[in-house]
Amino acid sequence: MYERILVPTDGSKVAQFAVDTAVDLAEKYDAEIHALYIADTDAVAYGLGTEQVDRIQQGDFAGMTELREDAEAATGYVTENAEAHGLSAIEHHAGGQPHRVIAHYAEDHDIDLIVMGSHGRSGVRRALLGSVTERVLRSTHTPVLVVDYEEDD
């Protein structure tokens, strides 16, 4: 049923919970996991020059230590979790508008399922879903499993 599962991640708790869910599904279906970290160029464009934004859009985070470390930690969590369950994982870093990058990645890599958190690191929640999740649902024909996570009090 599922051969390739995409997990967009920003390293947040809800994203990690989505990773755990995706790995569980991948194990059941013997699927390949794709971990995708996206630097939102709309959010960073104001503080950077055009050349840096262009590099980010190409997934080149060289010289941007904090961004590169965040990306590697987020996708590394996916790979470690997948490998612990005997699965393979592919890590990809990109820049752009997250919902568009996710939709294009899913189409370009024949993704069968996208598993993502209901909201991300920003902590800003809409009534039901984060804005990226909501936009992904509208931007792709690939099935999307939205995972919610609430901290224990």
Side-chain angles (χ1 to χ4, degrees), residues 30-46:
D30 193 30
E32 180 178 78
I33 299 274
H34 290 246
L36 177 61
Y37 179 93
I38 305 151
D40 186 346
T41 52
D42 286 347
V44 298
Y46 296 110

Side-chain angles (χ1 to χ4, degrees), residues 28-118:
K28 284 182 174 74
Y29 292 102
D30 193 30
E32 180 178 78
I33 299 274
H34 290 246
L36 177 61
Y37 179 93
I38 305 151
D40 186 346
T41 52
D42 286 347
V44 298
Y46 296 110
L48 301 174
T50 336
E51 183 179 318
Q52 285 182 306
V53 171
D54 288 343
R55 284 184 27 222
I56 290 171
Q57 287 176 331
Q58 299 303 315
D60 178 9
F61 302 159
M64 296 169 235
T65 306
E66 186 176 342
L67 182 58
R68 188 183 78 256
E69 288 174 356
D70 287 349
E72 289 172 354
T75 59
Y77 177 83
V78 178
T79 298
E80 289 170 16
N81 200 327
E83 289 175 351
H85 289 85
L87 301 167
S88 63
I90 296 169
E91 295 182 40
H92 186 75
H93 305 150
Q97 294 179 316
H99 68 284
R100 288 189 175 154
V101 174
I102 293 166
H104 289 135
Y105 188 94
E107 185 177 324
D108 293 345
H109 294 88
D110 295 319
I111 298 296
D112 302 303
L113 178 68
I114 301 168
V115 180
M116 62 188 301
S118 57

Side-chain angles (χ1 to χ4, degrees), residues 7 13-28 33 77-78 81-82 85 87 115 147 149:
V7 184
K13 292 282 187 194
V14 71
Q16 289 178 349
F17 193 67
V19 168
D20 296 343
T21 302
V23 168
D24 184 54
L25 286 168
E27 192 171 24
K28 284 182 174 74
I33 299 274
Y77 177 83
V78 178
N81 200 327
H85 289 85
L87 301 167
V115 180
V147 177
Y149 170 84

